[in-house]
Amino acid sequence: AGGGGASIASRYHHALELSTSRNFSTNTVINCMCHTIENIYHWSSTAVARASDDFYPSDKASHYAHITACAYNGLFLGPLVIPDYDMFQSNHAASKAHAIARAVSGGPVYVSDKPGKHDFEILRKLVLANGRILRSKQPAKPTLDCLFSDVTSDGSSALKLWTRNAFSGLVAVFNVQGSAWNRDARKFFVHDSAPKPVTTVVGSADVPNFS
């Protein structure tokens, strides 16, 4: 075992996973705030990890940046774990975009609605009658044509996510222009309060080896 943070992370993760395996029959753990290498290298029996910062319902600048972060972080995390897009609220101004992102994410779908504050039209589209979700067979990834685009700030690119289910390929398309994370100020900010519509092409070629 190494020293410092790596050694501590190893001990923490071993204890966490041992405890959950003993006390929870499904060993259900979502690793959060966990993107440092010393954490990633010590996931031995847990299979889900948060792909983003928190969902901030009152921060208008954060929502499309949140979806974007999940999409691109999932490209790295997807081969290792199931990326988790975090909770969202169904009765929210950005709920449709959040719901679509989670529907194709390949990860868990859960909400943090206040009691009595639900949009059942959205929720019923995410689950079957028995409450189960139609989870894709693999984590969503950005399509090749937007992989190296600045989809939040270049004013022209759409964010496209592809994945597969048991029968077909799926592509979700978002206009996430207008807000982003400011590294200097360390906060989300709106750089364009009225972003223009963007155009893109969607087809079977967006899903590798599908067309």
Side-chain angles (χ1 to χ4, degrees), residues 15-98:
L16 171 66
E17 294 182 350
L18 180 62
S19 175
T20 53
S21 66
R22 287 175 174 174
N23 296 288
F24 298 92
S25 59
T26 58
N27 195 21
T28 305
V29 172
I30 299 177
N31 293 285
C32 299
M33 301 306 179
C34 55
H35 290 182
T36 57
I37 292 298
E38 57 264 32
N39 282 310
I40 292 173
Y41 281 177
H42 289 102
W43 298 332
S44 59
S45 64
T46 52
V48 182
R50 177 78 57 77
S52 69
D53 202 345
D54 290 333
F55 169 77
Y56 297 110
S58 59
D59 188 345
K60 293 181 180 180
S62 71
H63 297 290
Y64 292 137
H66 178 107
I67 293 170
T68 304
C70 288
Y72 288 94
N73 286 340
L75 185 66
F76 170 65
L77 294 171
L80 304 171
V81 288
I82 298 171
D84 165 49
Y85 282 34
D86 199 15
M87 65 191 75
F88 76 103
Q89 293 178 347
S90 67
N91 187 18
H92 188 276
S95 60
K96 289 183 179 180
H98 279 293

Side-chain angles (χ1 to χ4, degrees), residues 124-141:
R124 290 191 181 101
K125 292 177 180 179
L126 290 171
V127 298
L128 300 174
N130 62 4
R132 299 186 66 183
I133 65 171
L134 293 168
R135 192 163 69 87
S136 59
K137 295 181 70 67
Q138 62 189 63
K141 300 179 181 68

Side-chain angles (χ1 to χ4, degrees), residues 113-152:
D113 292 345
K114 295 179 181 179
K117 300 291 185 179
H118 315 287
D119 187 333
F120 287 106
E121 182 179 355
I122 287 178
L123 294 175
R124 290 191 181 101
K125 292 177 180 179
L126 290 171
V127 298
L128 300 174
N130 62 4
R132 299 186 66 183
I133 65 171
L134 293 168
R135 192 163 69 87
S136 59
K137 295 181 70 67
Q138 62 189 63
K141 300 179 181 68
T143 57
L144 287 176
D145 56 341
C146 71
L147 186 58
F148 295 104
S149 299
D150 188 352
V151 296
T152 64

Side-chain angles (χ1 to χ4, degrees), residues 121-210:
E121 182 179 355
I122 287 178
L123 294 175
R124 290 191 181 101
K125 292 177 180 179
L126 290 171
V127 298
L128 300 174
N130 62 4
R132 299 186 66 183
I133 65 171
L134 293 168
R135 192 163 69 87
S136 59
K137 295 181 70 67
Q138 62 189 63
K141 300 179 181 68
T143 57
L144 287 176
D145 56 341
C146 71
L147 186 58
F148 295 104
S149 299
D150 188 352
V151 296
T152 64
S153 304
D154 67 9
S156 60
S157 300
L159 171 64
K160 296 162 60 179
L161 295 177
W162 73 271
T163 186
R164 291 177 179 271
N165 59 25
F167 305 100
S168 64
L170 302 172
V171 180
V173 185
F174 305 86
N175 181 355
V176 292
Q177 299 285 338
S179 59
W181 174 257
N182 186 310
R183 291 188 177 186
D184 295 326
R186 298 194 61 77
K187 66 178 182 179
F188 298 102
F189 76 109
V190 175
H191 55 80
D192 186 350
S193 59
K196 297 178 181 179
V198 298
T199 60
T200 190
V201 176
V202 180
S204 58
D206 287 320
V207 181
N209 302 315
F210 182 75

